[in-house]
Each structure stands twice: as C-alpha cells, then as structure tokens.
Amino acid sequence: MASGVKPRVKVPKSASAGEAIVIKTLISHPMESGQRKDSSGNPIPRSIINRFTCEFNGQSVIDITMEPAISTNPYFEFEATVPEAGDFAFTWYDDDGSVYNDTQSIAV
Amino acid sequence: MKYKAMTAFAALAISAPMLFAGGADDDTLSIDGEVMISKTAAPAHMAETGIDTIISGWHFREDDTQAMQTDTFDNPGMIAVDQAIDAWNTVEGTAEKSCASCHEGPESLAGVRAVYPKWNAEAGEMRTLAMQVNNCRTEQMGAEAYKYDGAQMTAMEALISVQSRGMPVNVAIDGPAAEYYEKGKEIYYTRYGQLELSCANCHEQNYGNYIRADHLSQGQINGFPTYRLKNAGLVQTHNRFRGCIRDTRAETFAVGSPEFIALEVYVASRGNGLSVEGPSVRQ
C-alpha cells in the first residue's frame, strides 16, 4: 500500500463553450517499478498506478495505461474541449486496488 | 608541429564561444504572477569579493527547468509542502501537541526562512531552521527529533520556506553571529580535496562558466530546499554543501555539523537581498 498518495488537479474555473482548456494533474506516488532491490538484495515489489482516466459529465476524455517505467509522482497535462458546464472526474487506479478520485467543476 | 598548432587553434575556436555563452540570463522570475528579486545589488559585506550583483541560481538553469518553478502547480517540490501541512497538523509526542497547537497556521511563520540561520540568545547557539524545528519537536512537543536531512525535515523546511516566498533574505552577521560568519568565510575560501577546490573557485571566480557540462551559479542558497530533477526529491542546504565538497574528492563535513552551520551562515548572508524562493527547482 503506497502511503501519502494525494491527487492534485488544476482546471480553470470557467471557460467559454467549445473552448479548449488545459488540464494539469499530478498525483504523489512512489511508482515503485519492481525492478529495484533493497539494501539486503531482495526485490522491492512493484507498486504503481496503472491507469488514469478523466471523464467529463460521464463521457471519457482520456484513458491512460501506465507502465512501470513511469517516474515518481506522475504528472499529466492535456487539453479538453468544453461543450457545456459540468464536472471533470479524475480517477487513478493503484496496483493494490486503491482508487483515488478528484472532481472539478467548470462553468461556461 | 604544424598539426599541433592547428589543433590548438581549433580548440581555441571551439572554446571561445563557450566562454561567452555562459552567464546568467535576463529572464524575470515570477511565481504565480508574484515577481521575485532574483538579481540585486550585493550586500555591503561582499565588497571585497568583487561581486557587485548577486544572482539567484534560477538564472543559470535551462528554460524548461526555470518554467517549472514559475507555477506552483508545476513545481514538484510543492508535493512535499502538501505532505508537511499534514505533519503540521498531526499531534505527536508526550505533550500531545502539533505544530498548529502553538503556531496555528503555517502562515504565522512568514519571514522565518529569510532570517535563518539565526542566533538563539537563550540557548546560546546558532540555529539553522532544521535545528529550530527539532528543538520545537523535542522541547515543546516531547516528540522524537526528525533526522536532520530526512524527508520529513526537508518537507517541513519547504513548508516554512513557502511562507516567506518573495521576502528578501536577511541573515544577521553582526553580534554573536560574527564568529560564525568568519568561520564560514574561512571554509568558503579553503581549498578541499584532491582537486583542491574551494567554494570560491567555482561560485565566485567562475560563475556563469561551465565546469564540464554543468553551468556554475553563484551558489546562492535562497532557493533551498531545492527540488533537484536528478534526485526526484528535495535537497537541503547541507546536502548540497556535502555534495560539493565530495565532488572535490574530499572527506566532507557531516550534515548538521558546526562547520556546515557556519558555512550556511556565511553563504546565506551572501544572498542577503534575494527573494526566498524555496522550494526552487533545479537540474
């Protein structure tokens, strides 16, 4: 179980309809690859976030599969077109089954 | 003979542009729209060094690295700040207190980073920020001290630094601090290690030039703790001192040692007037 996991998201408070906005997301996570060994030579088990999704009013905006080579505290920046006011729902899926959520509303 | 002369000429031709390509850039550092003092007149006590403008290390870094520091969200060091806020509100120790019990919000510590290391008259010692945090933990909270350069301590330093962001560094070097200033200065100008390099050789005489692929800064510590991309983590002032002395192939002083405390007083005072930037982002 990864500890101290905290999602952070930056979405503009408002946009005009049809405007492409920049969304930034960051989650603190060690992203242990499973390739490293501890001081006594035993492999450290893999513990990463393997999937990240963003939905707008239930419609998928982005869906990402993450692999072990991704570095600690994964950061994603992407653009989305906003047709109407609504909520962006962000979800991160951890190897250990934990799911981290965040939601941000945007006005038009 | 002719061949030698030609290679010498070629070497000169290659190195000449490099010599002039260095130096600090002229960009303006603003964090979330707040403009920082990243270049200013050197404090009076630096007259003998020949440096008339003190420059934040930010100006010596690549554009990409610089950009990460201009937005709080993009600054990976802010993750540690978030973690430290949790620690700030966590009750620990026999006194059943948290930082918040005495200090309320972390914003009450605005201005603290700018004046540390600071002489503590009551205890009769020079205290770095880390020492002060640990003193609070052991004396006020009855909790265990953090490891001097551990992740928890560095994160707490980052949280305290953010409260002073933009304020000019103002470390006292008179009165009881004068002794530390002098000792730190002596260390600064002492050549260490097999390479026989002093701090001044790189950071006073050659800032702006390259040491192999590395662009030398003035070695200012106003941005500490610093998020170093190569470590993917925060680095404390004393870690950086140790790293520099290690690179001269010397036996280094220990983190938190009297030598490094004195050196921190001296180096911090060389940045008097620059904005506190911590946590900054460097290569």
Side-chain angles (χ1 to χ4, degrees):
Chain A
M1 172 77 198
S3 61
V5 178
K6 196 174 207 174
R8 306 203 297 166
V9 172
K10 191 179 186 182
V11 178
K13 293 264 183 294
S14 64
S16 46
E19 185 189 347
I21 56 157
V22 175
I23 297 174
K24 295 174 176 180
T25 73
L26 176 67
I27 187 162
S28 49
H29 195 282
M31 297 294 276
E32 189 58 59
S33 70
Q35 303 291 326
R36 300 199 306 160
K37 288 176 177 148
D38 63 18
S39 50
S40 46
N42 305 311
I44 305 170
R46 173 181 136 157
S47 169
I48 67 166
I49 292 173
N50 55 45
R51 185 175 171 220
F52 165 63
T53 64
C54 171
E55 287 182 354
F56 182 70
N57 290 347
Q59 190 192 352
S60 175
V61 175
I62 199 165
D63 192 335
I64 296 165
T65 305
M66 285 188 264
E67 302 290 348
I70 290 174
S71 63
T72 182
N73 306 333
Y75 171 95
F76 287 104
E77 181 178 330
F78 51 93
E79 288 183 2
T81 309
V82 191
E84 65 209 14
D87 297 327
F88 280 101
F90 304 90
T91 317
W92 292 261
Y93 298 86
D94 197 310
D95 270 354
D96 64 16
S98 311
V99 175
Y100 316 106
N101 295 301
D102 199 353
T103 311
Q104 296 277 321
S105 305
I106 187 164
V108 172
Chain B
M1 199 60 203
K2 197 180 175 190
Y3 174 72
K4 250 188 186 169
M6 275 182 68
T7 44
F9 178 73
L12 196 71
I14 292 166
S15 65
M18 289 294 282
L19 277 175
F20 301 111
D25 66 13
D26 291 326
D27 297 344
T28 304
L29 170 58
S30 62
I31 301 176
D32 292 349
E34 187 192 349
V35 177
M36 300 284 129
I37 308 163
S38 54
K39 268 188 199 181
T40 190
H45 64 85
M46 280 177 69
E48 62 203 24
T49 64
I51 293 177
D52 51 9
T53 307
I54 49 173
I55 307 165
S56 161
W58 183 82
H59 285 287
F60 296 89
R61 302 279 67 94
E62 308 264 320
D63 288 348
D64 292 351
T65 314
Q66 289 184 334
M68 291 177 87
Q69 202 190 315
T70 58
D71 185 321
T72 305
F73 191 89
D74 290 347
N75 184 340
M78 295 305 286
I79 291 172
V81 172
D82 276 356
Q83 289 161 349
I85 289 172
D86 293 342
W88 179 274
N89 294 314
T90 306
V91 173
E92 274 184 272
T94 50
E96 297 194 353
K97 284 193 211 171
S98 67
C99 304
S101 310
C102 297
H103 296 289
E104 295 178 9
E107 35 325 315
S108 65
L109 297 189
V112 169
R113 168 77 271 183
V115 295
Y116 269 79
K118 188 180 171 190
W119 176 256
N120 186 304
E122 219 168 284
E125 63 175 7
M126 179 59 76
R127 278 201 189 145
T128 62
L129 194 54
M131 289 164 79
Q132 185 58 52
V133 169
N134 267 343
N135 188 270
C136 269
R137 287 185 61 82
T138 55
E139 303 303 314
Q140 307 294 335
M141 295 166 67
E144 261 184 58
Y146 285 144
K147 187 176 170 227
Y148 193 95
D149 59 342
Q152 290 167 305
M153 177 62 84
T154 317
M156 189 55 77
E157 276 195 21
L159 173 63
I160 295 169
S161 299
V162 167
Q163 312 309 323
S164 304
R165 191 155 69 191
M167 296 182 182
V169 176
N170 185 19
V171 171
I173 53 169
D174 51 356
E179 182 194 333
Y180 292 86
Y181 173 84
E182 289 302 330
K183 191 178 169 196
K185 186 175 173 181
E186 189 189 326
I187 294 172
Y188 194 87
Y189 287 100
T190 302
R191 290 171 178 264
Y192 288 103
Q194 291 179 324
L195 298 182
E196 295 189 19
L197 287 168
S198 72
C199 308
N201 289 147
C202 291
H203 297 294
E204 182 172 301
Q205 295 153 6
N206 279 298
Y207 69 87
N209 291 336
Y210 283 82
I211 182 163
R212 305 195 73 172
D214 205 5
H215 197 186
L216 288 169
S217 73
Q218 282 186 349
Q220 296 289 357
I221 56 172
N222 59 313
F224 277 81
T226 283
Y227 187 91
R228 289 202 73 189
L229 299 168
K230 77 165 196 175
N231 298 70
L234 283 172
V235 171
Q236 246 177 15
T237 312
H238 289 200
N239 293 139
R240 184 62 266 194
F241 287 165
R242 188 177 58 188
C244 265
I245 297 189
R246 179 204 57 213
D247 291 348
T248 70
R249 300 186 193 159
E251 285 284 340
T252 80
F253 301 111
V255 164
S257 64
E259 289 84 1
F260 275 173
I261 293 166
L263 185 60
E264 186 177 342
V265 172
Y266 179 70
V267 177
S269 77
R270 288 174 69 106
N272 276 356
L274 290 175
S275 287
V276 173
E277 285 174 30
S280 59
V281 184
R282 301 288 186 261
Q283 86 291 29

